[in-house]
Amino acid sequence: LQWLRNPGPQHERRTLFGDMVCFLFITPLATISGWLCLRGAVDHLHFSSRLEAVGLIALTVALFTIYLFWTLVSFRYHCRLYKEWRRTNQRVILLTPKSASLPPNQQSLLGLQPLKRNSKETIV
């Protein structure tokens, strides 16, 4: 989610946004166009116009091949950008142990204030 909010330089942000918009518009367009071409091919087969039917089927195959190719190339490009972003934008959270369980010399190394202890307490 952090990458989607800030994917990197401005041109990468524009590319990601543009590809998302294209995907949202092209997917229904490709689906409807493919359905219409296949429907037209079926109608042409009923009227014994086989050449037009073959042409519409070839158009449908070409349409979906181009759509799938564009989707795959775009997806791989953005996966590569995401991997690069993840490699260079790691968020590290340092969890330090409670100071009561550390010996005084390790507390000073971590910058923790030493705690006053009773003489009856021992560190285990």
Side-chain angles (χ1 to χ4, degrees):
L1 291 175
Q2 290 176 0
W3 178 69
L4 289 175
R5 280 188 231 126
N6 187 15
Q10 185 67 26
H11 69 280
E12 290 178 9
R13 191 174 305 146
R14 275 194 306 253
T15 303
L16 178 64
F17 180 73
D19 283 347
M20 284 180 168
V21 169
C22 285
F23 183 77
L24 290 175
F25 282 119
I26 291 174
T27 299
L29 269 171
T31 304
I32 291 169
S33 298
W35 181 79
L36 287 174
C37 284
L38 290 177
R39 186 76 185 146
V42 168
D43 289 344
H44 281 294
L45 283 175
H46 286 299
F47 297 117
S48 70
S49 181
R50 296 199 190 285
L51 187 60
E52 285 91 358
V54 169
L56 286 172
I57 291 171
L59 180 63
T60 303
V61 169
L63 176 73
F64 279 109
T65 302
I66 292 168
Y67 170 75
L68 290 175
F69 179 75
W70 174 80
T71 303
L72 178 67
V73 168
S74 179
F75 184 74
R76 288 186 67 200
Y77 172 74
H78 291 294
C79 283
R80 187 173 48 97
L81 287 180
Y82 171 71
K83 286 177 185 175
E84 178 65 24
W85 177 87
R86 193 176 72 185
R87 189 179 65 77
T88 59
N89 292 287
Q90 294 184 10
R91 183 175 163 197
V92 178
I93 300 172
L94 179 62
L95 301 175
T96 57
K98 293 184 181 180
S99 61
S101 64
L102 292 175
N105 60 348
Q106 287 183 358
Q107 290 177 13
S108 63
L109 288 174
L110 290 173
L112 301 173
Q113 299 295 327
L115 296 174
K116 295 182 181 180
R117 300 186 185 283
N118 289 335
S119 60
K120 295 180 182 179
E121 292 180 344
T122 58
I123 298 175
V124 181

